[in-house]
Amino acid sequence: MKILVVEDESVLRDLVSFMLESRFGGEILEASSGNRAIELLRNNPDIDLVICDYRMDDGTGGDVFRYLQEHHPSIKYILCTSGNPADYKEFQSSNAVIFFEKPFSADQLAEAIHRALGHEGDGALARPPRYCRIRTATILNVNLLSCDLYLKLSEGKY
């Protein structure tokens, strides 16, 4: 699975990426603005899911959603915002958006992903990988390890 996380706050973006990598595996792409996200979507049409903030300086979550609707309507979209989704006119007539409120837990994020991908209640994505890639910068920024940390030094050596 390939997921694009669009969030202008770097610590929150790192935290969401960390949650996704540790729970689902796959490839996580990151963008700090709506316009950067659109650029990544142009270059990566194989993205399965976009998790997007709304208010950002350089392009909004609404801009990303409109781009997806016009160019990649099969890519699932989750709006993750602290604002009221009813205030954003571009989403009012669409059933293609899953709304998700900040602040949130890893379980709430996983539930939103299951709903967006149509796996609600079937456990299709429930089993996290045994090992996951975690960027050093994420560990330093998030500083929330509730598990053991193993470093892979080579094949079979941790």
Side-chain angles (χ1 to χ4, degrees):
M1 180 177 357
K2 197 177 218 182
I3 301 173
L4 173 59
V5 176
V6 188
E7 171 62 55
D8 57 338
E9 295 180 45
S10 63
V11 173
L12 186 53
R13 190 174 56 248
D14 285 345
L15 181 60
V16 170
S17 294
F18 173 73
M19 288 178 181
L20 293 169
E21 287 172 341
S22 64
R23 190 121 182 194
F24 297 105
E27 184 178 351
I28 310 300
L29 301 174
E30 297 179 359
S32 59
S33 72
N35 288 332
R36 175 70 180 126
I38 290 169
E39 181 181 324
L40 284 170
L41 286 161
R42 280 188 190 117
N43 296 325
N44 296 277
D46 59 337
I47 289 173
D48 300 295
L49 174 68
V50 175
I51 300 172
C52 192
D53 186 16
Y54 187 83
R55 290 185 209 116
M56 297 174 282
D57 289 338
D58 185 30
T60 68
D63 297 330
V64 175
F65 179 70
R66 282 189 298 275
Y67 176 82
L68 286 175
Q69 292 298 295
E70 290 176 25
H71 301 281
H72 303 287
S74 64
I75 296 176
K76 305 299 182 194
Y77 183 91
I78 296 175
L79 177 65
C80 180
T81 183
S82 56
N84 183 354
D87 293 340
Y88 309 134
K89 63 180 182 269
E90 53 268 77
F91 304 113
Q92 290 175 355
S93 63
S94 176
N95 294 329
V97 178
I98 302 289
F99 296 109
F100 190 70
E101 254 184 276
K102 294 178 189 177
F104 55 87
S105 68
D107 287 339
Q108 290 169 320
L109 175 62
E111 181 183 318
I113 291 170
H114 286 290
R115 283 187 315 167
L117 297 177
H119 298 293
E120 200 168 10
D122 70 2
L125 299 172
R127 187 172 289 186
R130 182 171 172 158
Y131 298 104
C132 66
R133 179 180 67 88
I134 301 172
R135 289 173 247 147
T136 307
T138 301
I139 294 169
L140 295 173
N141 283 339
V142 175
N143 199 20
L144 295 173
L145 287 180
S146 60
C147 60
D148 293 331
L149 176 66
Y150 294 89
L151 300 176
K152 183 174 183 179
L153 302 173
S154 64
E155 284 302 317
K157 188 172 183 179
Y158 294 87

